[in-house]
């Protein structure tokens, strides 16, 4: 399956102050395959940034849970 993910922070509709924004979420891929990368767009898909995966790396072929990710990026 293609990687699926959800954003958990900031909440939908939240006001975001200018400066550095932290975006957090989780991702999963299914079939025991690990998530190796999460790309995040903050401008509607014009550009993408690679998020940092958090936590321990699973044993290959045994990734049966979601992976947490985080991205810190400047916003105007």
């Amino acid at each position: 399956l293609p990687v699926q993910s959800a954003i958990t922070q900031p909440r939908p509709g939240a006001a975001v102050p200018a400066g550095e924004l932290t975006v957090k979420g989780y991702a999963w891929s299914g079939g025991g395959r690990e998530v190796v990368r999460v790309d995040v767009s903050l401008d509607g898909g014009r550009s993408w940034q690679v998020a940092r995966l958090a936590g321990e790396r699973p044993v290959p072929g045994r990734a049966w849970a979601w992976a947490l990710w985080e991205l810190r990026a400047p916003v105007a």
Side-chain angles (χ1 to χ4, degrees):
L1 296 172
V3 171
Q4 303 292 311
S5 67
I7 295 172
T8 59
Q9 182 184 333
R11 298 176 84 130
V16 178
E20 187 173 81
L21 172 67
T22 299
V23 183
K24 294 182 179 183
Y26 59 90
W28 66 96
S29 64
R33 293 177 182 88
E34 72 175 302
V35 174
V36 296
R37 181 172 155 168
V38 174
D39 295 324
V40 180
S41 176
L42 300 176
D43 59 10
R46 289 185 298 244
S47 64
W48 295 86
Q49 299 177 56
V50 178
R52 181 183 66 82
L53 296 176
E56 296 180 23
R57 305 301 292 175
V59 174
R62 296 183 182 261
W64 299 106
W66 36 262
L68 298 175
W69 56 264
E70 180 178 307
L71 174 72
R72 291 185 182 170
V75 292

Coordinates of all heavy atoms in Angstrom, one line a residue:
L1 N 0.8 -1.2 0.0 CA 0.0 0.0 0.0 C 0.9 1.2 0.0 O 1.9 1.2 0.6 CB -0.9 0.0 1.3 CG -1.9 -1.1 1.4 CD1 -2.5 -1.0 2.8 CD2 -2.9 -1.0 0.3
P2 N 0.4 2.3 -0.6 CA 1.1 3.6 -0.5 C 1.0 4.1 1.0 O 0.1 3.7 1.7 CB 0.4 4.5 -1.4 CG -0.8 3.9 -1.8 CD -0.7 2.4 -1.5
V3 N 2.0 4.8 1.4 CA 2.0 5.3 2.8 C 0.8 6.3 2.9 O 0.5 7.1 2.1 CB 3.3 6.1 3.0 CG1 3.3 6.8 4.4 CG2 4.5 5.2 3.0
Q4 N 0.1 6.1 4.1 CA -1.0 6.9 4.5 C -0.5 7.7 5.7 O 0.2 7.1 6.5 CB -2.2 6.1 4.8 CG -2.7 5.2 3.6 CD -3.2 6.0 2.5 OE1 -4.0 6.9 2.7 NE2 -2.7 5.7 1.3
S5 N -1.0 8.9 5.9 CA -0.6 9.6 7.1 C -1.7 10.6 7.5 O -2.6 10.9 6.8 CB 0.7 10.4 6.9 OG 0.5 11.4 5.9
A6 N -1.6 11.0 8.8 CA -2.5 12.0 9.3 C -1.7 13.0 10.1 O -0.7 12.8 10.7 CB -3.5 11.3 10.3
I7 N -2.2 14.3 10.0 CA -1.6 15.4 10.8 C -2.4 15.5 12.1 O -3.6 15.6 12.1 CB -1.7 16.7 10.0 CG1 -0.8 16.6 8.7 CG2 -1.2 17.9 10.8 CD1 -0.9 17.7 7.8
T8 N -1.6 15.5 13.2 CA -2.3 15.7 14.5 C -2.0 17.0 15.1 O -2.7 17.4 16.1 CB -1.7 14.6 15.5 OG1 -0.3 14.7 15.6 CG2 -2.1 13.2 14.9
Q9 N -1.0 17.7 14.7 CA -0.7 19.1 15.2 C -0.2 19.9 14.1 O 0.7 19.4 13.3 CB 0.3 19.0 16.3 CG 0.6 20.3 16.9 CD 1.7 20.1 18.0 OE1 1.9 19.1 18.6 NE2 2.5 21.2 18.2
P10 N -0.6 21.1 13.8 CA -1.7 21.8 14.5 C -3.0 21.3 14.1 O -3.2 20.6 13.1 CB -1.5 23.3 14.1 CG -0.9 23.2 12.7 CD 0.0 22.0 12.7
R11 N -4.0 21.6 14.9 CA -5.4 21.1 14.7 C -6.0 21.8 13.5 O -5.6 23.0 13.2 CB -6.2 21.4 15.9 CG -5.7 20.6 17.2 CD -6.5 21.0 18.3 NE -7.7 20.2 18.3 CZ -8.1 19.6 19.4 NH1 -7.5 19.6 20.5 NH2 -9.2 18.8 19.3
P12 N -6.9 21.2 12.8 CA -7.5 21.9 11.7 C -8.2 23.2 12.1 O -8.8 23.4 13.1 CB -8.6 20.9 11.3 CG -8.2 19.6 11.8 CD -7.4 19.9 13.1
G13 N -7.9 24.3 11.3 CA -8.4 25.6 11.5 C -7.7 26.4 12.6 O -8.1 27.5 12.9
A14 N -6.6 25.9 13.1 CA -5.9 26.6 14.2 C -5.1 27.8 13.6 O -4.6 27.7 12.5 CB -4.9 25.6 14.9
A15 N -5.1 28.9 14.3 CA -4.3 30.0 13.9 C -2.9 29.7 14.2 O -2.5 29.2 15.3 CB -4.8 31.2 14.7
V16 N -2.0 30.0 13.2 CA -0.6 29.7 13.4 C 0.2 31.0 13.3 O 0.1 31.7 12.3 CB -0.1 28.7 12.2 CG1 1.3 28.4 12.4 CG2 -1.0 27.4 12.2
P17 N 0.9 31.3 14.4 CA 1.7 32.6 14.4 C 2.9 32.5 13.4 O 3.4 31.4 13.2 CB 2.1 32.7 15.8 CG 2.1 31.3 16.4 CD 1.0 30.6 15.6
A18 N 3.3 33.6 13.0 CA 4.5 33.6 12.1 C 5.7 33.2 12.9 O 5.7 33.3 14.2 CB 4.8 35.0 11.6
G19 N 6.7 32.6 12.3 CA 7.9 32.1 13.0 C 8.1 30.6 12.6 O 7.8 30.2 11.5
E20 N 8.5 29.8 13.6 CA 8.7 28.4 13.3 C 7.4 27.6 13.7 O 6.9 27.7 14.8 CB 9.9 27.9 14.1 CG 10.2 26.4 13.7 CD 11.5 25.9 14.4 OE1 11.4 25.6 15.6 OE2 12.5 26.0 13.7
L21 N 7.0 26.7 12.8 CA 5.8 25.9 12.9 C 6.3 24.4 13.1 O 7.2 24.0 12.4 CB 4.9 26.0 11.7 CG 3.7 25.0 11.6 CD1 2.7 25.3 12.7 CD2 3.1 25.1 10.3
T22 N 5.7 23.8 14.1 CA 5.9 22.3 14.3 C 4.7 21.6 13.8 O 3.6 21.8 14.3 CB 6.2 22.0 15.7 OG1 7.4 22.7 16.1 CG2 6.5 20.5 15.9
V23 N 4.8 20.7 12.8 CA 3.8 19.9 12.3 C 4.1 18.5 12.8 O 5.2 18.0 12.6 CB 3.6 20.0 10.8 CG1 2.5 19.2 10.3 CG2 3.5 21.4 10.4
K24 N 3.1 17.8 13.4 CA 3.3 16.4 13.8 C 2.2 15.5 13.3 O 1.1 16.0 13.0 CB 3.3 16.3 15.3 CG 4.4 17.0 16.0 CD 4.3 16.9 17.5 CE 5.5 17.6 18.2 NZ 5.4 17.3 19.7
G25 N 2.5 14.2 13.2 CA 1.5 13.3 12.7 C 2.0 11.8 12.9 O 3.0 11.6 13.5
Y26 N 1.2 11.0 12.2 CA 1.6 9.6 12.2 C 1.4 9.0 10.8 O 0.6 9.6 10.0 CB 0.9 8.7 13.2 CG -0.6 8.8 13.1 CD1 -1.3 7.8 12.3 CD2 -1.4 9.7 13.7 CE1 -2.7 7.8 12.2 CE2 -2.8 9.8 13.6 CZ -3.4 8.8 12.9 OH -4.8 8.8 12.7
A27 N 2.1 7.9 10.4 CA 2.0 7.3 9.1 C 2.1 5.8 9.2 O 2.6 5.3 10.2 CB 3.1 7.9 8.2
W28 N 1.5 5.1 8.2 CA 1.6 3.7 8.2 C 1.6 3.3 6.7 O 1.1 4.0 5.8 CB 0.4 3.0 8.9 CG -0.9 3.3 8.3 CD1 -1.6 2.4 7.5 CD2 -1.8 4.4 8.5 NE1 -2.8 3.0 7.1 CE2 -2.9 4.2 7.7 CE3 -1.7 5.6 9.2 CZ2 -4.0 5.1 7.6 CZ3 -2.7 6.5 9.1 CH2 -3.8 6.3 8.4
S29 N 2.1 2.1 6.5 CA 2.2 1.6 5.1 C 1.5 0.3 4.8 O 1.2 -0.1 3.7 CB 3.6 1.5 4.6 OG 4.3 0.6 5.4
G30 N 1.3 -0.5 5.9 CA 0.6 -1.8 5.7 C 1.5 -2.9 5.3 O 2.6 -2.7 4.8
G31 N 1.0 -4.1 5.4 CA 1.8 -5.3 5.0 C 3.1 -5.6 5.7 O 3.9 -6.3 5.1
G32 N 3.3 -5.0 6.9 CA 4.5 -5.2 7.6 C 5.7 -4.3 7.1 O 6.8 -4.5 7.5
R33 N 5.4 -3.5 6.1 CA 6.5 -2.6 5.5 C 6.6 -1.4 6.4 O 5.6 -0.7 6.7 CB 6.1 -2.3 4.1 CG 6.2 -3.5 3.2 CD 5.8 -3.1 1.8 NE 5.8 -4.3 0.9 CZ 4.8 -5.1 0.8 NH1 3.6 -4.9 1.4 NH2 4.8 -6.2 0.0
E34 N 7.9 -1.0 6.6 CA 8.1 0.2 7.4 C 7.9 1.5 6.6 O 8.1 1.5 5.4 CB 9.5 0.2 8.1 CG 10.6 0.4 7.1 CD 11.9 0.5 7.8 OE1 12.1 1.3 8.7 OE2 12.8 -0.3 7.5
V35 N 7.6 2.6 7.3 CA 7.6 3.9 6.7 C 9.0 4.4 6.7 O 9.7 4.4 7.7 CB 6.7 4.8 7.5 CG1 6.8 6.3 7.0 CG2 5.2 4.4 7.6
V36 N 9.5 4.7 5.5 CA 10.9 5.2 5.4 C 11.0 6.7 5.2 O 12.1 7.2 5.3 CB 11.7 4.4 4.3 CG1 11.8 2.9 4.7 CG2 11.0 4.6 3.0
R37 N 9.9 7.3 4.8 CA 9.9 8.7 4.6 C 8.5 9.3 4.6 O 7.6 8.7 4.1 CB 10.6 9.0 3.2 CG 10.7 10.4 2.8 CD 11.5 10.4 1.5 NE 11.2 11.6 0.8 CZ 11.9 12.1 -0.2 NH1 13.0 11.4 -0.6 NH2 11.6 13.2 -0.8
V38 N 8.4 10.5 5.1 CA 7.1 11.3 5.0 C 7.5 12.7 4.5 O 8.3 13.4 5.0 CB 6.5 11.4 6.4 CG1 5.2 12.3 6.4 CG2 6.1 10.0 7.0
D39 N 6.8 13.1 3.4 CA 7.0 14.4 2.8 C 5.8 15.2 3.2 O 4.6 14.8 3.1 CB 7.1 14.3 1.3 CG 8.3 13.6 0.9 OD1 9.4 13.7 1.5 OD2 8.3 12.9 -0.2
V40 N 6.0 16.5 3.6 CA 5.0 17.4 4.0 C 5.0 18.7 3.1 O 6.1 19.2 2.9 CB 5.1 17.8 5.5 CG1 4.0 18.7 5.9 CG2 5.1 16.5 6.4
S41 N 3.8 19.1 2.7 CA 3.7 20.4 1.9 C 3.0 21.4 2.8 O 1.9 21.1 3.3 CB 3.0 20.2 0.6 OG 2.9 21.5 0.0
L42 N 3.5 22.6 2.9 CA 2.9 23.6 3.7 C 2.3 24.7 2.8 O 1.8 25.7 3.2 CB 3.9 24.3 4.7 CG 4.5 23.3 5.7 CD1 5.5 24.1 6.5 CD2 3.4 22.7 6.6
D43 N 2.4 24.5 1.4 CA 2.0 25.5 0.5 C 1.1 24.9 -0.6 O 1.1 25.3 -1.8 CB 3.1 26.2 -0.1 CG 4.1 25.3 -0.9 OD1 3.8 24.1 -1.0 OD2 5.2 25.7 -1.2
G44 N 0.3 23.9 -0.2 CA -0.7 23.3 -1.2 C -0.1 22.4 -2.2 O -0.7 22.2 -3.3
G45 N 1.1 21.9 -2.0 CA 1.7 21.0 -2.9 C 2.7 21.6 -3.9 O 3.3 20.9 -4.7
R46 N 3.0 22.9 -3.8 CA 4.0 23.5 -4.6 C 5.4 23.1 -4.3 O 6.3 22.9 -5.1 CB 3.9 25.0 -4.6 CG 2.7 25.5 -5.3 CD 2.7 27.0 -5.4 NE 2.7 27.5 -4.0 CZ 1.7 28.3 -3.5 NH1 0.7 28.6 -4.2 NH2 1.8 28.7 -2.2
S47 N 5.7 22.9 -3.0 CA 7.0 22.4 -2.5 C 6.8 21.4 -1.4 O 5.7 21.4 -0.7 CB 7.9 23.6 -2.1 OG 7.3 24.2 -0.9
W48 N 7.8 20.6 -1.2 CA 7.7 19.5 -0.2 C 8.9 19.5 0.7 O 10.0 19.8 0.2 CB 7.5 18.2 -0.9 CG 6.2 18.1 -1.6 CD1 6.0 18.5 -2.9 CD2 5.0 17.6 -1.1 NE1 4.7 18.3 -3.2 CE2 4.1 17.7 -2.2 CE3 4.6 17.0 0.1 CZ2 2.7 17.4 -2.1 CZ3 3.3 16.7 0.2 CH2 2.3 16.8 -0.9
Q49 N 8.8 19.1 2.0 CA 9.9 19.0 2.9 C 9.8 17.6 3.5 O 8.7 17.1 3.8 CB 9.8 20.1 4.0 CG 9.9 21.5 3.4 CD 9.7 22.5 4.5 OE1 10.4 22.5 5.5 NE2 8.7 23.4 4.4
V50 N 10.9 17.0 3.9 CA 11.0 15.7 4.5 C 10.9 15.8 6.0 O 11.7 16.6 6.6 CB 12.3 15.0 4.1 CG1 12.4 13.6 4.7 CG2 12.4 14.9 2.6
A51 N 9.9 15.2 6.6 CA 9.7 15.2 8.0 C 10.7 14.2 8.7 O 11.2 13.3 8.0 CB 8.3 14.8 8.3
R52 N 11.0 14.4 9.9 CA 11.8 13.5 10.7 C 11.0 12.4 11.3 O 10.0 12.7 11.9 CB 12.5 14.3 11.8 CG 13.5 13.5 12.7 CD 14.0 14.3 13.8 NE 13.0 14.7 14.8 CZ 12.5 14.0 15.8 NH1 13.0 12.7 15.9 NH2 11.6 14.4 16.6
L53 N 11.4 11.2 11.1 CA 10.7 10.1 11.7 C 11.2 9.9 13.2 O 12.4 10.0 13.4 CB 10.9 8.8 10.9 CG 10.4 8.8 9.5 CD1 10.8 7.5 8.8 CD2 8.9 8.9 9.5
A54 N 10.2 9.7 14.1 CA 10.6 9.6 15.5 C 10.5 8.1 16.0 O 9.8 7.3 15.3 CB 9.6 10.4 16.3
G55 N 11.2 7.8 17.0 CA 11.1 6.5 17.6 C 12.1 5.5 17.0 O 12.9 5.9 16.1
E56 N 12.1 4.3 17.5 CA 13.0 3.3 17.0 C 12.6 2.8 15.6 O 11.4 2.7 15.3 CB 12.9 2.1 18.0 CG 13.5 2.4 19.3 CD 13.4 1.2 20.3 OE1 13.4 0.1 19.8 OE2 13.4 1.4 21.5
R57 N 13.5 2.3 14.9 CA 13.3 1.7 13.5 C 12.9 0.3 13.7 O 13.5 -0.5 14.4 CB 14.5 1.8 12.6 CG 15.1 3.3 12.5 CD 14.1 4.2 11.9 NE 13.9 3.9 10.6 CZ 13.0 4.6 9.8 NH1 12.3 5.5 10.3 NH2 12.8 4.2 8.6
P58 N 11.8 -0.2 13.1 CA 11.4 -1.6 13.2 C 12.3 -2.5 12.4 O 13.0 -2.1 11.5 CB 10.0 -1.6 12.6 CG 10.0 -0.4 11.6 CD 10.9 0.6 12.2
V59 N 12.2 -3.8 12.8 CA 12.9 -4.8 12.0 C 12.3 -4.9 10.7 O 11.0 -4.9 10.6 CB 12.8 -6.2 12.8 CG1 13.4 -7.3 12.0 CG2 13.4 -6.1 14.2
P60 N 13.0 -5.0 9.6 CA 12.4 -5.1 8.2 C 11.4 -6.2 8.1 O 11.7 -7.3 8.6 CB 13.6 -5.3 7.3 CG 14.8 -4.7 8.0 CD 14.5 -4.9 9.5
G61 N 10.2 -5.9 7.6 CA 9.2 -6.9 7.4 C 8.3 -7.1 8.6 O 7.4 -7.9 8.7
R62 N 8.6 -6.3 9.7 CA 7.9 -6.5 11.0 C 7.4 -5.1 11.5 O 7.3 -4.9 12.7 CB 8.7 -7.1 12.0 CG 9.1 -8.5 11.6 CD 9.9 -9.2 12.7 NE 10.3 -10.5 12.3 CZ 9.6 -11.6 12.7 NH1 8.6 -11.6 13.5 NH2 10.1 -12.8 12.3
A63 N 7.0 -4.2 10.6 CA 6.5 -2.9 10.9 C 5.0 -2.9 11.0 O 4.4 -2.5 10.0 CB 7.1 -1.9 9.9
W64 N 4.4 -3.4 12.0 CA 3.0 -3.6 12.1 C 2.2 -2.4 12.8 O 1.1 -2.5 13.0 CB 2.6 -4.9 12.8 CG 3.2 -6.1 12.1 CD1 4.3 -6.8 12.4 CD2 2.8 -6.6 10.8 NE1 4.6 -7.8 11.5 CE2 3.6 -7.7 10.5 CE3 1.7 -6.3 9.9 CZ2 3.5 -8.4 9.3 CZ3 1.6 -7.0 8.8 CH2 2.5 -8.1 8.5
A65 N 2.9 -1.4 13.1 CA 2.3 -0.2 13.7 C 2.6 1.1 12.9 O 3.4 1.1 12.0 CB 2.8 -0.1 15.2
W66 N 2.0 2.1 13.3 CA 2.2 3.4 12.7 C 3.6 4.0 13.2 O 4.1 3.6 14.2 CB 1.1 4.4 13.0 CG 0.5 4.3 14.3 CD1 -0.6 3.6 14.7 CD2 1.0 4.8 15.6 NE1 -0.9 3.7 16.0 CE2 0.1 4.4 16.6 CE3 2.1 5.6 15.9 CZ2 0.3 4.8 17.9 CZ3 2.3 5.9 17.2 CH2 1.4 5.5 18.2
A67 N 4.1 5.0 12.4 CA 5.3 5.7 12.8 C 5.0 7.1 13.0 O 4.2 7.7 12.3 CB 6.3 5.6 11.6
L68 N 5.5 7.7 14.1 CA 5.4 9.1 14.4 C 6.3 9.9 13.5 O 7.5 9.5 13.3 CB 5.6 9.4 15.8 CG 4.7 8.7 16.8 CD1 5.1 9.0 18.2 CD2 3.2 9.1 16.6
W69 N 5.9 11.1 13.1 CA 6.8 12.0 12.4 C 6.6 13.4 12.8 O 5.6 13.8 13.4 CB 6.6 11.9 10.8 CG 5.2 12.2 10.4 CD1 4.2 11.3 10.1 CD2 4.6 13.4 10.1 NE1 3.1 11.9 9.7 CE2 3.3 13.2 9.7 CE3 5.1 14.8 10.2 CZ2 2.4 14.3 9.3 CZ3 4.2 15.8 9.8 CH2 2.9 15.5 9.4
E70 N 7.6 14.3 12.5 CA 7.6 15.7 13.0 C 8.4 16.5 11.9 O 9.4 16.1 11.4 CB 8.2 15.8 14.3 CG 8.3 17.2 14.9 CD 8.9 17.3 16.3 OE1 8.4 16.5 17.1 OE2 9.8 18.1 16.4
L71 N 7.8 17.7 11.7 CA 8.5 18.7 10.8 C 8.5 20.0 11.5 O 7.4 20.5 11.9 CB 7.8 18.8 9.4 CG 8.3 19.8 8.5 CD1 9.7 19.4 7.9 CD2 7.3 20.1 7.4
R72 N 9.7 20.7 11.5 CA 9.7 22.1 12.0 C 10.1 22.9 10.8 O 11.1 22.6 10.1 CB 10.8 22.2 13.1 CG 10.3 21.5 14.4 CD 11.3 21.8 15.5 NE 10.8 21.0 16.6 CZ 11.5 20.9 17.7 NH1 12.7 21.4 17.8 NH2 11.0 20.2 18.7
A73 N 9.4 23.9 10.5 CA 9.6 24.8 9.4 C 9.2 26.2 9.6 O 8.3 26.5 10.4 CB 8.8 24.2 8.2
P74 N 9.9 27.1 9.0 CA 9.6 28.5 9.1 C 8.3 28.9 8.3 O 8.1 28.3 7.3 CB 10.8 29.3 8.6 CG 11.4 28.3 7.6 CD 11.1 26.9 8.2
V75 N 7.5 29.7 8.9 CA 6.3 30.2 8.2 C 6.2 31.7 8.3 O 6.6 32.3 9.3 CB 5.0 29.6 8.8 CG1 4.9 28.1 8.5 CG2 4.8 29.8 10.3
A76 N 5.7 32.3 7.2 CA 5.6 33.8 7.2 C 4.3 34.2 7.9 O 3.4 33.5 8.1 CB 5.5 34.2 5.7

